[in-house]
Amino acid sequence: MADVDDDLNDIKDILDSLRSRPPSPNEISSCPSCSRIKDESLPGYRCLRIGSSRGIYPSTCARCVFTSAVGEACVEQGILKCADFDTDNKPNHFIVWQVENDGSLVLPRWSNLLSSAGGSAYYLPDAISFEILTAPGKPSPFPDIPIWGPRLACPSKDDGVSFDKVQAWLKVCEERHSMCGRVSGAPNLPARVLDVRQLPVKLYEPHPGESKPYLCLSHCWGGSRPKCMTTSWTLETNRQEIVWNDLPATFQHAIDVTRRLGFDYLWIDSLCIIQDSETDWQHQSAEMIFIYENSHLTLCATASEDDTGGFYGDVPTERRPKEITVKGPDGTDYELLVRTDLSNRHLPLPWGVDHHENRRKYFPLLTRAWVFQERLLSRRLLHFTKEELLFECAELITCECHPGVGRYDYRPKHSEPLDKRVLSLSEAALKAPKKKPESLEEAANLEVNETPWGRAVECYTALSLSYPRDKLPALSGVAKQIQRRLRPDDEYLAGLWRSTLLPDLCWWSVGYKQAPQRWRGPSWSWVSIDGPIAMNKFRQRAKNDACSVVDASVLLAGPDAMGEVESGHVILSGTICAGRMKQGSHVDPKILRYPKSASVYDLLLAVNGDERLMFVDCRDYLYDGTVTVGQEIFCLRMGLYNDADEFCLILKRAGKVETSTINEPGCYERIGYMMGYSGDLDRWCEGKARSLIKII
């Protein structure tokens, strides 16, 4: 026990050498700005006016005075913007930092700053995030101001400082983080790994059950296909040796980091999967959950668009901190650095469509769909960006520029992101007592779409795939994890779940989407279209039991139960109404002659003289013959609500089936959806018999 305590003390000493201590409560208790816990006009924040004597009081603490001076210097140098002036012709500008309910700072003062330039501290949408750093080797007016490291972000090969910090992050995670899964003993090695113990590296195929720690690489392939890529022709050669110069920069750097961190084995997909073998690809893709889950650490080439980008490099000039000189509380001039635009420097909101263009520019790896599950399943991740190293695990997100071991200031508290913690946090949900649904209908009535799966699908579908056929395989690892932890008795059906099939069917496309060139899944699954979808709103079950699930099945294309499918159908029991698709009256009639500009929001469903707005799942449907204006289409009410709106599927006939009875289901394909009011739908369905509807 003493040895463990000594080790933890060593960790603390390492971290203390990499950070400085925050001010004591006594130092800030008497400051008007620091102690202003409640501000009714801007709850959750504290404000400090800069550039005006009205913002500084005699009892203002030295830190607030200094922060104001930094803000004023930044405005004068154009680092921060100031739009308005007050009556004294002084800049009307505020610095804001976020506080907890008890008034304590959410994060260290120097890295939790917002600059509001709109003439009011209460107009925060246009606020600029920034942080204050001490220049390397220069004195600091306060001991807790972080130091801008000599090689933050893209370490050179001879930089030991950055890797000392990585080792400290790993040690803390390994020994203190229960949510990251402490493992007794090494995991089994994947079917193939790179042996990097000495050069030249080679492809190693371990014995069954051989256990050793290993690392994984997460990277963008881009357009590059390296000579060393493993195929049926290069497999034997790679077993003997892989020529170093045939390895692209990202692979070389990943091998270098693996060895520097003291590991012997590395898994890289293009080298460890036989790329021209369909059988090997199907088998290995089904094992992704175990490959990334068992990896000790995943190395992420987060800033590289392809394998030639590598890990190492200089910080771009435009991304370097700006130098300022500010007089400190002791009257000394201090040389400081200020970094702005923090949301684009640290890990962004990871999975939603927000800031997608910024992710593409600064974090291209995070735009890739395969990386979604690689990041979500990995125990720990080390991101190499253009500016610094970022470390991520289930309990910690931190970076080189942060003085401590936890950093969340670039993740708004009100918008909890979906990251790899979502599955770890599910453990708590598993321990909570809950009533198991006794039927499909009862399960559909539960508010289960707010579980990690619904959110995962929404985030995943906003990301990019190079090969459309990978839509299901690239998410199969997450699906297996969800099934293992949350749905052990459930059945996966082409991206949906049997126990919640009715609400899962109530997805809709976001924006103008295209259909894939080859069939990928049944029309009732979101897998059938490209682009982001939403599926988390319609959960409230109607009292009239408008629709119920009778049967559902899929035919798998391979051994992976969560992988590609060849066909599938669902049979629902409900009331279906026939109508016609019409063009909205406010639309130029010639718009459909130019389908690329056609809007999915300009279509109406006409039933018995009533017209209601409807939406097609893909704009391609308007010009590829899937559906045409004037065609007979069908509305199936699903009996699931969001506020006053009831979700309805819009269907068209499939094949030549012309009739539908309770004993012979009519066969249809989904083409879109509609949100209607109950009164309208009751009137449309009046007198119509319930029937079976088969959707393929």
Side-chain angles (χ1 to χ4, degrees), residues 99 128 140 142 185 191 216 220 233 256 298 319 325 359 391 402 471 562 584 609 615 617 679:
V99 295
I128 300 172
S140 174
F142 301 98
C216 281
C220 287
W233 292 97
D256 176 61
T298 296
R319 304 290 288 174
T325 300
R359 288 207 311 273
F391 180 81
H402 183 57
K471 192 81 166 185
M562 276 72 170
F615 307 86
D617 292 329

Side-chain angles (χ1 to χ4, degrees), residues 38 93 129 245 247 418 522 537 651:
K38 293 184 178 180
H93 192 271
S129 60
N245 290 336
L247 293 163
L418 175 76
K537 285 191 175 181
L651 311 172

Side-chain angles (χ1 to χ4, degrees), residues 216-219 267 269 273 281-295 298 300 350-351 365-381 383 392 418-423 453 455-457 459-461 463-465 469-484 492 497 526 560-564:
C216 281
L217 173 66
S218 181
H219 64 111
W267 189 88
D269 51 5
I273 300 175
W281 187 89
Q282 287 187 348
H283 176 73
Q284 296 300 323
S285 64
E287 295 293 311
M288 287 295 184
I289 178 175
F290 306 110
I291 292 174
Y292 282 95
E293 186 179 56
N294 292 330
S295 170
T298 296
C300 304
W351 306 119
L365 182 69
L366 302 187
T367 68
R368 309 304 303 170
W370 271 104
V371 176
F372 177 82
Q373 74 171 3
E374 294 171 8
R375 184 178 174 194
L376 198 60
L377 297 174
S378 294
R379 194 180 305 275
R380 306 171 189 92
L381 303 103
H383 297 270
E392 180 180 14
L418 175 76
D419 56 27
K420 69 184 303 295
R421 292 178 302 153
V422 77
L423 294 179
W453 181 251
R455 179 66 177 138
V457 170
C459 296
Y460 169 75
T461 53
L463 304 175
S464 302
L465 274 170
R469 63 170 290 186
D470 291 349
K471 192 81 166 185
L472 283 170
L475 194 61
S476 67
V478 177
K480 290 183 177 74
Q481 189 80 304
I482 291 287
Q483 184 180 55
R484 185 170 67 181
Y492 189 69
W497 297 92
W526 52 265
D560 188 357
M562 276 72 170
E564 293 181 81

Side-chain angles (χ1 to χ4, degrees), residues 581 605 613-617 627 633-636 647-652 669-675 684:
M581 190 176 79
L605 172 64
L613 190 66
M614 60 158 285
F615 307 86
V616 292
D617 292 329
V627 64
I633 55 178
F634 303 86
C635 172
L636 172 63
F647 193 90
C648 302
L649 292 181
I650 302 299
L651 311 172
K652 73 164 192 172
E669 293 179 27
R670 168 174 169 155
I671 58 170
Y673 62 96
M674 184 189 79
M675 301 171 192
W684 289 5

